[in-house]
Amino acid sequence: MRQPFPHPLNLDTGLVEMSHGAGGRAMAQLINQVFVAAFDNPLLGQGNDQARLPMPAGRLVVTTDGYVITPRVFPGGDIGSLAVHGTVNDVAMAGAVPLYLTAGFVLEEGLPLADLVAIVRSMARAAREAGVSVVTGDTKVVERGGCDGLFITTTGVGVITDDRLDLSGDKARPGDLILVSGTLGDHGVAVMSQRETLTFETPILSDSAALHDLVADMVEAVPEIRAMRDPTRGGLAATLNELAQQSGVGMAIREADIPLKPAVRGACELLGLDPLTVANEGKLLAICPPERAEALLEAMRAHPLGHEAAVIGRVVQDPDCFVQMETRLGGRRIVDWLAGEQLPRIC
Amino acid sequence: MRQPFPHPLNLDTGLVEMSHGAGGRAMAQLINQVFVAAFDNPLLGQGNDQARLPMPAGRLVVTTDGYVITPRVFPGGDIGSLAVHGTVNDVAMAGAVPLYLTAGFVLEEGLPLADLVAIVRSMARAAREAGVSVVTGDTKVVERGGCDGLFITTTGVGVITDDRLDLSGDKARPGDLILVSGTLGDHGVAVMSQRETLTFETPILSDSAALHDLVADMVEAVPEIRAMRDPTRGGLAATLNELAQQSGVGMAIREADIPLKPAVRGACELLGLDPLTVANEGKLLAICPPERAEALLEAMRAHPLGHEAAVIGRVVQDPDCFVQMETRLGGRRIVDWLAGEQLPRIC
């Protein structure tokens, strides 16, 4: 067969050009040398505009998420690994096994190909570690100034194989307990300190991680879990308020029980951030019937990504759907949604 | 229940703000008043970060595509309807029935909410007409200048319900015939003339359309179709070269048989464009065994989106995988991939 690309791309010093999005030879070459090379798997290798996917029996789950984070590389991850973890986690929060990802890229003309390759390889590594395949994708190129370097949109496909599971945000009931899988605020503070070039005695790393394996252990141990959600943008405060609204209940949490790294607490004080509204990318919140909470906590703590899990409060009856917190000093305050914006471009 | 949004968004004069992407109350409000309102369906209304999807039996098909077209509104469509049609078509090209879409938005701070609403409503209308539901989505907001107004990434999910179908780009065999469903180049020329504010005696409209219904008729009549593909970016030239490479064959087409509107031909001459490399958004190319071509052509012509369908050439043996064209003047030329870029931001 004729060699279709006589001049290979220079992945060390080359730049993204408009032709890389034009549907011609240059685009085919970028797809082959950068994307197919990194994401290497038989489904992607089919070379069609769509992937045909073998699926185990069960209920199909689909989710989508865009990633526009700046800076693209941050302590503990980059936009590529984040684009895998975030979407894998949204699939897993339904109690589903993540299987496949699709990836849509918007690239800015002039982006160094070396930067693109590094991010795509990081995505591929994160996908491999999470046991998912990137099965189809798309690349668009916009003129210099038309976007900020690189945006990624990933869609995740998974399946709920256990018939007993029925997790949904509208299932919280008064009396249920609220658990988190570990310390809060690490991702947002890590990104923010990178932006502000703050240095701390103990470096703060993003918690960006794929939670599907922790979730598998949790639903195996306690299939009665009512709901799970990962507190990303808007942090714990937004997630609790969303769940309270969806279920028509109130939430009562205790500040003293919320796991927080001392360095994150310090950075939040310094930066004027409320750790409850800071994004996480490797943590989850679970709501479960009180009689099953101990078993669930045990399953979480037995997993490396859940060893600092804690019960932080309980679901209460409240027609106003308020989220209330007992403070360290013994007072009470309302935990509201973030009203404006605190940290833009955090995911 | 407490009313969570005391001040409704002003959809007439309001602008997209950074807070609309921050995960807090403003984002929840935008999602409710703009996206959920337009895409209204029970699956989206679940309000979780992922959708659980009922699926008929069959083979799952997934595809993804980003849309960055400028201008956002063009003769015959807009970025919203295009984001539905393009992705529905990529699902349909596998012979699948499109069922669900996910939609990821990247919005620029300062985008008028009225523009966003118009586009989202156009998407919703196109989805309704195509019989697909937008079941989950995501919104990110970047600072003014961080993107060019609005980018949309849609992922399509469908199912191949007919066991006899096995369409793929690697299945073209020497002797097969090549069909197109109608006139070529309409979309690219419509967008280009809008950009250059050219006016023609006959206005040229984009052909943007959902082809799933035409495809259903085609595979019903001729399940032996080898491959289908929609010639979008890179046009017919890119699609034929892709299929030739994938199947390890050559292609021989006849210029005189390629359907082309006189106005498109004229505009291409004026603008110095090759109609074979101009994007289409409502046309498909099909490859089928010669003995079934007549039945296929008949099925295509019986459908409103295929009444100008034509056989334009055949698959030939060629270890070099060249695409050749017999010109109107009786000569022959190689139809190569677009080498550089002709029309950026066309989809």
Side-chain angles (χ1 to χ4, degrees), chain A residues 52 139 143 167 336 345, chain B residues 25 52 143 167 233 345:
Chain A
R52 291 149 182 82
T139 308
E143 302 85 354
L167 285 71
D336 203 359
R345 310 283 293 281
Chain B
R25 192 188 291 273
R52 291 148 180 81
E143 301 85 354
L167 285 72
R233 274 183 294 179
R345 310 283 294 278

Side-chain angles (χ1 to χ4, degrees), chain B residues 57-129:
Chain B
R59 284 164 288 164
L60 186 73
V61 169
V62 174
T63 185
T64 202
D65 224 334
Y67 299 87
V68 299
I69 189 168
T70 176
R72 288 196 292 271
V73 180
F74 50 83
D78 59 46
I79 190 172
S81 54
L82 186 66
V84 171
H85 294 156
T87 296
V88 161
N89 290 348
D90 278 344
V91 170
M93 293 304 117
V97 181
L99 297 170
Y100 304 114
L101 290 183
T102 72
F105 293 84
V106 178
L107 309 178
E108 184 184 10
E109 179 189 17
L111 179 74
L113 285 173
D115 290 12
L116 177 63
V117 167
I119 285 161
V120 170
R121 286 186 183 154
S122 169
M123 271 188 92
R125 194 163 44 242
R128 242 183 340 263
E129 286 169 8

Side-chain angles (χ1 to χ4, degrees), chain A residues 1-2 4 18-19 21-28 46-53 55 59-68 90-91 93-94 102-104 106 136-143 145-148 151 153 155 157 160 167-170 229-230 233-234 238 241-242 245-246 248 319-322 336-342 344-345 347, chain B residues 1-2 4 18-19 21-28 46-53 55 59-68 90-91 93-94 102-104 106 136-143 145-148 151 153 155 157 160 167-170 229-230 233-234 238 241-242 245-246 248 319-322 336-342 344-345 347:
Chain A
M1 199 166 81
R2 174 173 59 122
M18 291 304 293
S19 64
R25 191 188 293 273
M27 189 172 94
Q46 292 170 351
N48 290 313
D49 289 340
Q50 71 292 114
R52 291 149 182 82
L53 303 177
M55 286 293 286
R59 284 164 287 165
L60 186 73
V61 169
V62 175
T63 184
T64 202
D65 224 334
Y67 299 87
V68 299
D90 278 344
V91 171
M93 291 307 116
T102 72
V106 178
T136 190
D138 178 65
T139 308
K140 293 289 183 299
V141 180
V142 298
E143 302 85 354
C147 84
D148 186 4
F151 299 151
T153 301
T155 297
V157 176
I160 304 174
L167 285 71
S168 182
D170 59 358
R229 195 159 291 176
D230 51 339
R233 273 184 295 179
N241 274 285
E242 280 168 29
Q245 289 283 341
Q246 257 184 285
D320 288 325
C321 305
F322 282 125
D336 203 359
W337 307 63
L338 190 61
E341 52 123 355
Q342 189 178 42
R345 310 283 293 281
C347 56
Chain B
M1 200 165 77
R2 176 173 57 123
M18 291 305 293
S19 64
R25 192 188 291 273
M27 187 171 96
Q46 292 169 350
N48 290 313
D49 289 340
Q50 71 292 114
R52 291 148 180 81
L53 304 176
M55 288 292 289
R59 284 164 288 164
L60 186 73
V61 169
V62 174
T63 185
T64 202
D65 224 334
Y67 299 87
V68 299
D90 278 344
V91 170
M93 293 304 117
T102 72
V106 178
T136 190
D138 178 66
T139 309
K140 293 289 185 297
V141 179
V142 299
E143 301 85 354
C147 85
D148 186 4
F151 299 150
T153 301
T155 297
V157 176
I160 305 174
L167 285 72
S168 182
D170 59 358
R229 196 160 291 179
D230 51 340
R233 274 183 294 179
N241 274 286
E242 279 168 28
Q245 289 283 344
Q246 256 183 286
D320 288 326
C321 304
F322 282 125
D336 202 357
W337 306 63
L338 188 62
E341 52 123 358
Q342 190 179 39
R345 310 283 294 278
C347 57

Side-chain angles (χ1 to χ4, degrees), chain B residues 25-315:
Chain B
R25 192 188 291 273
M27 187 171 96
Q29 192 171 20
L30 182 80
I31 290 171
N32 272 290
Q33 285 188 28
V34 177
F35 297 110
V36 176
F39 295 138
D40 182 38
N41 69 69
L43 292 166
L44 183 64
Q46 292 169 350
N48 290 313
D49 289 340
Q50 71 292 114
R52 291 148 180 81
L53 304 176
M55 288 292 289
R59 284 164 288 164
L60 186 73
V61 169
V62 174
T63 185
T64 202
D65 224 334
Y67 299 87
V68 299
I69 189 168
T70 176
R72 288 196 292 271
V73 180
F74 50 83
D78 59 46
I79 190 172
S81 54
L82 186 66
V84 171
H85 294 156
T87 296
V88 161
N89 290 348
D90 278 344
V91 170
M93 293 304 117
V97 181
L99 297 170
Y100 304 114
L101 290 183
T102 72
F105 293 84
V106 178
L107 309 178
E108 184 184 10
E109 179 189 17
L111 179 74
L113 285 173
D115 290 12
L116 177 63
V117 167
I119 285 161
V120 170
R121 286 186 183 154
S122 169
M123 271 188 92
R125 194 163 44 242
R128 242 183 340 263
E129 286 169 8
V132 295
S133 303
V134 178
V135 292
T136 190
D138 178 66
T139 309
K140 293 289 185 297
V141 179
V142 299
E143 301 85 354
R144 226 174 262 269
C147 85
D148 186 4
L150 168 71
F151 299 150
I152 305 175
T153 301
T154 45
T155 297
V157 176
V159 67
I160 305 174
T161 54
D162 186 337
D163 284 342
R164 296 169 303 172
L165 304 184
D166 187 21
L167 285 72
S168 182
D170 59 358
K171 298 207 176 294
R173 296 289 170 268
D176 288 349
L177 292 184
I178 305 167
L179 295 86
V180 295
S181 63
T183 59
L184 294 180
D186 302 10
H187 174 73
V189 168
V191 174
M192 199 59 191
S193 56
Q194 171 84 354
R195 271 192 220 161
E196 307 283 326
T197 60
L198 297 176
T199 49
F200 302 102
E201 219 163 301
T202 326
I204 298 170
L205 299 183
S206 167
D207 58 349
S208 181
L211 297 170
H212 62 293
D213 195 54
L214 168 63
V215 167
D217 288 0
M218 290 168 67
V219 298
E220 171 77 25
V222 183
E224 303 90 346
I225 297 174
R226 311 275 201 200
M228 280 191 286
R229 196 160 291 179
D230 51 340
T232 56
R233 274 183 294 179
L236 184 70
T239 301
L240 287 173
N241 274 286
E242 279 168 28
L243 294 171
Q245 289 283 344
Q246 256 183 286
S247 293
V249 296
M251 306 267 179
I253 60 172
R254 284 180 311 273
E255 189 173 19
D257 294 337
I258 296 173
L260 212 55
K261 288 195 171 78
V264 169
R265 186 195 311 278
C268 282
E269 280 168 12
L270 189 72
L271 296 165
L273 301 174
D274 177 353
L276 296 192
T277 62
V278 174
N280 310 277
E281 293 289 351
K283 297 294 164 16
L284 63 81
L285 181 148
I287 294 181
C288 108
E291 67 277 11
R292 304 296 291 135
E294 199 159 331
L296 184 58
L297 192 62
E298 198 178 311
M300 291 167 82
R301 287 188 172 160
H303 193 280
L305 292 175
H307 69 275
E308 293 179 286
V311 175
I312 62 163
R314 64 201 162 78
V315 178

